[in-house]
Amino acid sequence: FKKLQIEFYGNFDFSGKELKKHGIQEIFTINKFISPGILKDKMAQASAFLLFLPDNATSWVPQKLFIYLPQEKPVLAFIPQSCETRSLLENNGNPIFFTQNPENNLKLLQQFINNWKNNTINKTSSKNIEEFHRKNQVINLSDIFKGVVKNYN
């Protein structure tokens, strides 16, 4: 029997009071920062990636996503409608996007948990992810600067 466990990693303000109030604190682990190597190992062991982004995160793509997507496991996302991360996820498989509708979110989560228990989770794809990776964006930016400098001289 699989045991549901949710681990949070990162620098965010999160209180366990709500978890205790609902009696679900035993399935949650809250961690601050960990090294990228350990994070990659943890992500490889995970069944899914739970992604939260604030409403003002329209052009931000978390670097952790580039570590996770090659694992080809599902992403459960609470992110703004007009976020670049949403486009990236839509082009890479089967993300589950949660909305402002709690009833709909509960149905989506129940479906995911049922699929997880039955080992029928849809995988994501990492086919388009490399072009958005920071290292490739730096290469693209370098090429732009080379062109500007060449034309300026």
Side-chain angles (χ1 to χ4, degrees):
F1 174 72
K2 291 183 177 184
K3 180 183 173 195
L4 180 63
Q5 183 177 348
I6 299 172
E7 296 184 28
F8 288 100
Y9 294 93
N11 188 24
F12 52 89
D13 184 21
F14 187 77
S15 170
K17 291 178 186 176
E18 277 299 307
L19 301 176
K20 289 178 183 174
K21 182 173 137 182
H22 295 288
I24 56 174
Q25 71 273 11
E26 66 276 351
I27 66 170
F28 288 91
T29 305
I30 302 169
N31 305 282
K32 292 292 181 188
F33 290 105
I34 60 173
S35 73
I38 293 173
L39 179 63
K40 188 174 182 178
D41 292 343
K42 290 281 189 182
M43 288 181 160
Q45 297 169 11
S47 298
F49 184 64
L50 185 60
L51 178 62
F52 293 96
L53 292 179
D55 289 338
N56 62 354
T58 55
S59 62
W60 179 52
V61 178
Q63 290 301 304
K64 290 176 185 152
L65 200 54
F66 296 104
I67 296 170
Y68 187 77
L69 280 178
Q71 310 285 336
E72 298 187 339
K73 297 178 184 177
V75 176
L76 299 111
F78 291 87
I79 61 177
Q81 186 71 30
S82 61
C83 184
E84 284 185 27
T85 302
R86 181 178 284 270
S87 299
L88 179 66
L89 290 171
E90 286 171 342
N91 289 323
N92 284 287
N94 298 298
I96 299 171
F97 293 114
F98 293 94
T99 65
Q100 297 295 328
N101 181 335
E103 291 175 8
N104 184 56
N105 292 342
L106 182 58
K107 288 178 188 175
L108 289 170
L109 191 55
Q110 286 172 332
Q111 180 66 45
F112 174 78
I113 291 172
N114 287 337
N115 290 344
W116 175 72
K117 285 179 180 177
N118 295 319
N119 290 320
T120 57
I121 295 176
N122 292 328
K123 291 185 176 185
T124 60
S125 167
S126 58
K127 64 180 185 246
N128 299 320
I129 195 71
E130 281 302 313
E131 71 180 281
F132 296 101
H133 196 281
R134 183 180 355 193
K135 96 180 153 184
N136 288 328
Q137 294 300 324
V138 168
I139 291 169
N140 292 340
L141 189 58
S142 300
D143 290 342
I144 290 169
F145 282 129
K146 282 180 197 175
V148 169
V149 169
K150 184 178 179 180
N151 290 332
Y152 183 72
N153 291 329

